[in-house]
Amino acid sequence: MKCKTIVGLFLMSTLAVFSQNASVVSPNKKISVELRNSANTQVGGWYLKVNYSNDGKISEVFQQITLGLDRADQSFSTALKYLKTSKPNLINEHYSVVHGKRVQCTNSANEVVVSFENQGKSKLNLIIRAYNDGVAFRYEFPEKGGTFVVNDELTTYCVADSTKRWLEKFNPANEGLYTSSKDGNLQQDWGYPALFNTPDKGCWYLIHEADLDKNYCGTKLSNVAEKSKYKLTFPDQWNGRGQGEVKPTITLPWKSPWRVVIIGSLSDIVESTLVDDVSTPSIISKTDWIKPGIASWNYWSSNHGTKDFKKVCEFADLAASMGWPYTLLDWEWDTMGNGGKLEDALKYIHSLGLKPLMWYNSGGNHTWVSSTPKDRMLTHENRVEEFTKLKKLGVAGVKIDFFESEKQSMIQYYLDILEDAAKFDMMVYFHGCLVPRGWARTYPHLMTYEGVRGAEWYNNGPEFTTTAPEHNTILPFTRNVVGAMDYTPVTFTNSQFPHITSYGHELALSVVFESGIQHMADRPEGYQDLPDAAKTFLKEVPNAWDNTKLLDGYPGKDVIIARSKGNAWYIGGISAERFPKNKTLSFNFLPENVKYKLTLISDGEHDKKLVTEYMVVEKSSVVKVRLLGRGGFVACLKPIL
């Protein structure tokens, strides 16, 4: 009996030591990650357990994140032998960015590396990091030599019943609406990022991936097999018109993209830069040619506007009158007429002190869209020839559209474009594309992505008229968290289908939505007919920020965001709800003993009316704001010197 007790105590001690060595805690002690074995032994299948602690209350984020990879030659999943866990390593890196929600960022986490081997003695490492605002993990094959196909990635997030979730049905252009639910009864493929609120309401988390490179494909989430389990899955064969291989091919040594979960309060989610933090640092040392800014854009109000030289000039005049640095020539610039051709338009744009941006079809058989110019970005030789011409013409950047796939070959194409563009000091933004994967840190001339159902959907049918208000209040907690978002906002007039959002709501989108190049989508009179205060606000509002704070909000209901540039703060607030409401603005994010002049522009007596108030505020001040149904407001705070 005594011998059995000693053996039992030894086993318990061994397991406790093993569990402790395979765990990591965030620097602020709020987030913990534990590696566990499904059979409670040192050989078999493995999973991660994640907890979040706030003021002594512990929320279970994931009871289980299943781990594993299947290569074509062998499996790394159910028969992995634990070898060792490294000593915890503090990652502590500070970096700055040219554009985004925060200019100074910190990549700070505790990291451990867990080593395994499979039955064939091949090695697999699992790199786990715990951040103050989330967790990240990635797989590593450390051995050198060999090229293999990955048949499947087994990473699966097991989500507890009664977890509130906001998910977007996957489509290759990532232009769907988010659906909210409290269960997993909708079973299908879902796009990134995916937002969840734990059953106890104590914790929010957002699932994404980052640092995707040429050695893998993009993935998505699928709960088709089991409703509570969201498994990473590869692209479908039909994506990109069937072009490219579904399964990625890797060459050893190899690391997977980071599997990222942002964790905490809603403000932790909105303010996080975790997707960029874990991504590869900038490969561009000289960045003075990368200039974030606002652009005028004619496509929303006139789908064939760039065919018309006079229309192009009208939008250039708009940008000049508003002090915006850019105007975009969208599709059909190669068939421009009515008084001038492309060269005439570029000459006119430059004469106003503006920089032109130009649209391209991504080309190739991966897209059915025949719009021209097509194929000029498709190969390295094409791009060098085209970028050489554009550089001589004084074009500052290119918008490239219709990628329609996240297969490995398409990921390689995206990154080839960015690498070639950098050699010509050419800014880039992608449309009809994937959502951000942290590339803006590596390639800071990547200014923005579409990957969102934006304002152009007012041209696609009547649906967006009714869904836009709620959609707009979900995006700051989901899609725009993970990177720049080219929604093409701030439209006061109507396009093919009308708005039901107020002027205050539309004005606020200039602050609520973040994009390295912000395309103001309305026609010239939409801005020219605004009251002076609103017009001045749009002339002055930045689009690259020093800091970002969530002041209030809940996805699908309302959101208030404050962003700073220099000593000034800009606030945007919007509501999705049908009836008027009052919101309270507090300014506790301001420094002590500094007074600010507040310019508040909010909804008036009806949805096309704005009212402006001026007052002096400080850190302790409180201001009431009235929003109409589906309304909004903006505020600008400048220190009184």
Side-chain angles (χ1 to χ4, degrees), residues 445-597:
H445 60 301
L446 174 54
M447 308 305 290
T448 190
Y449 314 63
E450 188 181 30
V452 66
R453 181 167 294 203
E456 75 171 7
W457 277 78
Y458 284 113
N459 291 327
N460 296 344
E463 162 266 312
F464 204 56
T465 295
T466 56
T467 58
E470 180 178 351
H471 181 61
N472 293 348
T473 63
I474 294 173
L475 294 176
F477 302 100
T478 53
R479 165 63 182 83
N480 212 182
V481 170
V482 301
M485 182 179 77
D486 195 27
Y487 178 101
T488 61
V490 191
T491 54
F492 303 99
T493 66
N494 287 323
S495 186
Q496 295 180 39
F497 296 92
H499 296 76
I500 55 172
T501 51
S502 76
Y503 274 28
H505 184 118
E506 290 295 319
L507 187 62
L509 299 183
S510 64
V511 178
V512 171
F513 295 159
E514 180 270 313
S515 181
I517 292 180
Q518 188 78 279
H519 292 85
M520 300 298 186
D522 208 347
R523 49 181 57 84
E525 56 266 33
Y527 303 110
Q528 292 162 355
D529 294 343
L530 289 172
D532 287 345
K535 195 184 306 181
T536 299
F537 184 89
L538 291 176
K539 288 179 179 181
E540 295 181 351
V541 66
N543 72 306
W545 303 99
D546 293 345
N547 202 0
T548 292
K549 291 187 173 295
L550 175 69
L551 302 186
D552 194 10
Y554 189 90
K557 292 185 178 180
D558 55 36
V559 60
I560 303 174
I561 290 179
R563 305 187 193 269
S564 68
K565 187 71 172 180
N567 292 326
W569 283 89
Y570 296 80
I571 302 174
I574 59 173
S575 171
E577 297 181 284
R578 293 175 55 197
F579 300 104
K581 61 164 59 175
N582 293 316
K583 300 296 288 187
T584 300
L585 273 182
S586 61
F587 303 96
N588 53 15
F589 56 89
L590 295 175
E592 297 278 2
N593 302 318
V594 180
K595 294 185 183 297
Y596 286 77
K597 178 184 177 181

Side-chain angles (χ1 to χ4, degrees), residues 50-64:
V50 181
N51 284 337
Y52 172 76
S53 176
N54 189 29
D55 293 331
K57 180 182 178 182
I58 296 177
S59 295
E60 184 177 75
V61 183
F62 293 108
Q63 187 176 45
Q64 182 169 325

Side-chain angles (χ1 to χ4, degrees), residues 4 352 600:
K4 288 182 179 180
L352 300 176
L600 177 64

Side-chain angles (χ1 to χ4, degrees), residues 12 52 80 86 89 153 167 173 233 366 377 395 411 419 469:
M12 289 173 64
Y52 172 76
L80 284 177
S86 71
N89 176 43
E153 179 171 339
L167 300 166
T233 56
H366 61 267
M377 294 290 150
V395 174
I411 301 305
E419 289 167 5

Side-chain angles (χ1 to χ4, degrees), residues 24-87:
V24 61
V25 179
S26 62
N28 66 2
K29 311 299 183 187
K30 286 188 174 184
I31 296 172
S32 63
V33 188
E34 298 177 9
L35 177 72
R36 295 190 174 188
N37 180 276
S38 54
N40 214 25
T41 65
Q42 295 197 16
V43 179
W46 299 87
Y47 65 91
L48 297 176
K49 178 179 172 61
V50 181
N51 284 337
Y52 172 76
S53 176
N54 189 29
D55 293 331
K57 180 182 178 182
I58 296 177
S59 295
E60 184 177 75
V61 183
F62 293 108
Q63 187 176 45
Q64 182 169 325
I65 304 174
T66 306
L67 303 169
L69 291 164
D70 278 337
R71 277 189 350 212
D73 61 318
Q74 53 190 311
S75 179
F76 297 81
S77 56
T78 57
L80 284 177
K81 179 181 179 181
Y82 169 81
L83 300 178
K84 63 179 181 179
T85 299
S86 71
K87 292 182 179 179

Side-chain angles (χ1 to χ4, degrees), residues 257-555:
W258 286 103
R259 306 307 170 204
V260 175
V261 187
I262 303 172
I263 299 170
S265 65
L266 276 177
S267 60
D268 292 325
I269 302 290
V270 170
E271 297 168 20
S272 176
T273 57
L274 186 54
V275 170
D276 286 344
D277 295 344
V278 300
S279 295
T280 302
S282 174
I283 64 169
I284 299 173
S285 56
K286 187 174 179 289
T287 60
D288 59 346
W289 55 275
I290 303 170
K291 304 286 189 184
I294 294 176
S296 62
W297 183 54
N298 65 45
Y299 176 84
W300 183 82
S301 59
S302 179
N303 295 168
H304 299 278
T306 307
K307 281 182 83 168
D308 187 332
F309 171 74
K310 292 181 180 177
K311 184 73 67 177
V312 169
C313 292
E314 287 177 17
F315 277 80
D317 291 340
L318 168 64
S321 71
M322 297 295 289
W324 302 335
Y326 301 112
T327 189
L328 171 65
L329 306 183
D330 215 288
W331 74 308
E332 299 179 320
W333 54 256
D334 54 337
T335 60
M336 193 183 302
N338 194 24
K341 299 293 186 182
L342 173 64
E343 292 75 11
D344 303 305
L346 295 177
K347 183 178 179 180
Y348 184 76
I349 290 166
H350 285 301
S351 75
L352 300 176
L354 304 176
K355 294 180 180 179
L357 308 167
M358 289 173 57
W359 178 95
Y360 285 84
N361 189 331
S362 63
N365 291 329
H366 61 267
T367 175
W368 58 268
V369 180
S370 59
S371 303
T372 60
K374 189 174 181 177
D375 298 339
R376 299 191 194 182
M377 294 290 150
L378 193 57
T379 66
H380 171 69
E381 292 74 20
N382 292 154
R383 292 189 293 272
V384 168
E385 180 181 356
E386 197 68 13
F387 288 151
T388 300
K389 292 177 183 177
L390 294 179
K391 185 77 170 175
K392 290 179 180 178
L393 291 170
V395 174
V398 290
K399 170 184 175 180
I400 306 174
D401 210 343
F402 304 124
F403 290 88
E404 302 180 27
S405 166
E406 297 181 15
K407 296 174 185 175
Q408 184 178 19
S409 58
M410 191 59 65
I411 301 305
Q412 293 167 347
Y413 180 32
Y414 278 114
L415 299 179
D416 285 345
I417 289 172
L418 290 170
E419 289 167 5
D420 286 342
K423 297 170 186 173
F424 292 85
D425 293 354
M426 192 68 56
M427 296 185 295
V428 175
Y429 50 106
F430 295 127
H431 262 234
C433 61
L434 82 180
V435 298
R437 299 301 207 280
W439 293 347
R441 182 181 179 193
T442 314
Y443 306 95
H445 60 301
L446 174 54
M447 308 305 290
T448 190
Y449 314 63
E450 188 181 30
V452 66
R453 181 167 294 203
E456 75 171 7
W457 277 78
Y458 284 113
N459 291 327
N460 296 344
E463 162 266 312
F464 204 56
T465 295
T466 56
T467 58
E470 180 178 351
H471 181 61
N472 293 348
T473 63
I474 294 173
L475 294 176
F477 302 100
T478 53
R479 165 63 182 83
N480 212 182
V481 170
V482 301
M485 182 179 77
D486 195 27
Y487 178 101
T488 61
V490 191
T491 54
F492 303 99
T493 66
N494 287 323
S495 186
Q496 295 180 39
F497 296 92
H499 296 76
I500 55 172
T501 51
S502 76
Y503 274 28
H505 184 118
E506 290 295 319
L507 187 62
L509 299 183
S510 64
V511 178
V512 171
F513 295 159
E514 180 270 313
S515 181
I517 292 180
Q518 188 78 279
H519 292 85
M520 300 298 186
D522 208 347
R523 49 181 57 84
E525 56 266 33
Y527 303 110
Q528 292 162 355
D529 294 343
L530 289 172
D532 287 345
K535 195 184 306 181
T536 299
F537 184 89
L538 291 176
K539 288 179 179 181
E540 295 181 351
V541 66
N543 72 306
W545 303 99
D546 293 345
N547 202 0
T548 292
K549 291 187 173 295
L550 175 69
L551 302 186
D552 194 10
Y554 189 90

